[in-house]
């Protein structure tokens, strides 16, 4: 089945530093979604990217979808302690499928 | 609007016992999903309901798992008999339409000893 590879698995940053997590697929994706799970919490939807080369911003978060629609990234500028958590990318498992395949997640720790 | 609620939040059972997890989706959400995260691994799809019908159950690991959604409202996921490898966090999620963003519940942490 489809796999979505996500790196890095862990990232420790000093507060104020930037952070980026990457997702890659061997197949073209119809869309990609990003979720954030705070420690002890549940995944919360952040954004969905659909168009080739799309870039969306939410305050300090920048999401990109590659031109070939096979990769995506989430970049956080000037991290804060509130950014702590695990960030997951997720994509439909196949054409017309509503089943999502999740990446393994990137666990972000922010050192104050 | 109330979110997706799951019960219980934690369950510790012995191998061979039965456990039933419950999920109440957001009111009006016809689409209900079960996902599972085993320690250190990715969140994996189990199945998808549209109203009371199983739309996709390709992720169900084996016949020890039984999901129901009678009446198209809440859903239950029964594991019988439980095995050690069933331990993990079981998430329920709902969405207004298929393919729209998922709203997750807080999950049920299942520990099989």
């Amino acid at each position: 089945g489809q796999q979505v590879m996500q790196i890095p698995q862990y990232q420790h940053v000093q507060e104020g530093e930037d952070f980026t997590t990457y997702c890659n697929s061997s197949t073209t994706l119809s869309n990609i979604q990003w979720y954030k799970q705070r420690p002890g919490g549940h995944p919360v939807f952040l954004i969905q990217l659909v168009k080739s080369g799309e870039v969306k911003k939410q305050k300090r978060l920048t999401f990109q979808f590659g031109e070939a629609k096979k990769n995506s990234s989430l970049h956080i500028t000037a991290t804060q302690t509130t950014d702590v958590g695990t960030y997951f990318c997720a994509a439909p498992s196949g054409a017309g499928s509503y089943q999502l395949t999740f990446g393994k997640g990137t666990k972000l720790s922010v050192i104050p | 609007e109330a979110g997706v609620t799951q019960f219980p939040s934690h369950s510790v059972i012995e191998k061979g016992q039965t456990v039933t997890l419950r999920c109440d989706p957001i009111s009006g959400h016809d689409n209900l999903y079960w996902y599972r995260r085993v320690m250190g691994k990715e969140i994996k799809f189990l199945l998808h309901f549209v109203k009371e019908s199983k739309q996709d159950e390709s992720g169900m690991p084996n016949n020890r798992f039984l999901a129901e959604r009678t009446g198209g409202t809440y859903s239950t996921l029964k594991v019988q008999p439980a095995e050690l490898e069933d331990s993990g966090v079981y998430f329920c999620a709902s969405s207004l339409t298929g393919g729209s963003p998922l709203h997750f519940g807080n999950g049920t942490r299942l520990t099989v000893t």
Side-chain angles (χ1 to χ4, degrees):
Chain A
Q2 172 173 278
Q3 286 189 315
V4 177
M5 308 304 293
Q6 186 173 0
I7 57 168
Q9 193 171 355
Y10 301 94
Q11 186 80 56
H12 304 273
V13 300
Q14 202 76 33
E15 189 172 17
E17 291 183 337
D18 292 356
F19 158 78
T20 306
T21 173
Y22 303 88
C23 281
N24 289 285
S25 169
S26 58
T27 59
T28 301
L29 305 172
S30 59
N31 69 78
I32 194 159
Q33 300 176 26
W34 286 91
Y35 291 80
K36 175 185 179 181
Q37 183 175 3
R38 292 180 187 274
H42 57 276
V44 174
F45 173 77
L46 295 176
I47 208 157
Q48 178 173 278
L49 304 171
V50 180
K51 298 177 183 176
S52 167
E54 189 169 16
V55 178
K56 286 189 176 180
K57 292 192 175 186
Q58 291 179 350
K59 296 183 181 178
R60 293 177 296 103
L61 277 62
T62 302
F63 303 84
Q64 293 189 327
F65 201 9
E67 293 290 341
K69 299 181 72 172
K70 289 184 176 181
N71 59 76
S72 181
S73 65
L74 158 59
H75 179 83
I76 302 178
T77 304
T79 55
Q80 299 175 359
T81 53
T82 53
D83 296 325
V84 164
T86 301
Y87 293 84
F88 294 95
C89 60
S93 298
S97 172
Y98 298 135
Q99 172 187 154
L100 289 181
T101 297
F102 281 79
K104 286 192 173 182
T106 297
K107 186 173 182 179
L108 172 64
S109 300
V110 178
I111 305 161
Chain B
E1 142 185 295
V4 176
T5 57
Q6 291 186 245
F7 182 85
S9 57
H10 295 81
S11 180
V12 181
I13 61 172
E14 292 183 353
K15 176 182 171 181
Q17 290 186 319
T18 298
V19 64
T20 300
L21 315 180
R22 172 171 170 144
C23 169
D24 286 76
I26 292 173
S27 178
H29 281 194
D30 287 341
N31 292 268
L32 186 150
Y33 309 79
W34 285 97
Y35 282 82
R36 173 173 75 170
R37 189 179 190 199
V38 173
M39 180 71 75
K41 299 197 172 180
E42 62 268 35
I43 300 169
K44 285 207 165 180
F45 170 83
L46 294 177
L47 88 160
H48 170 209
F49 283 100
V50 177
K51 297 186 179 178
E52 68 275 9
S53 299
K54 291 177 185 174
Q55 189 76 12
D56 181 355
E57 51 184 329
S58 61
M60 295 288 263
N62 52 60
N63 58 12
R64 295 186 293 103
F65 289 75
L66 175 65
E68 294 181 320
R69 193 183 182 194
T70 308
T73 53
Y74 72 90
S75 174
T76 58
L77 178 64
K78 182 193 287 188
V79 185
Q80 178 183 33
E83 297 290 343
L84 298 178
E85 65 263 26
D86 300 332
S87 296
V89 181
Y90 289 76
F91 288 107
C92 174
S94 71
S95 67
L96 190 59
T97 61
S100 54
L102 300 183
H103 298 261
F104 281 86
N106 284 332
T108 294
R109 181 174 295 276
L110 175 64
T111 303
V112 183
T113 63

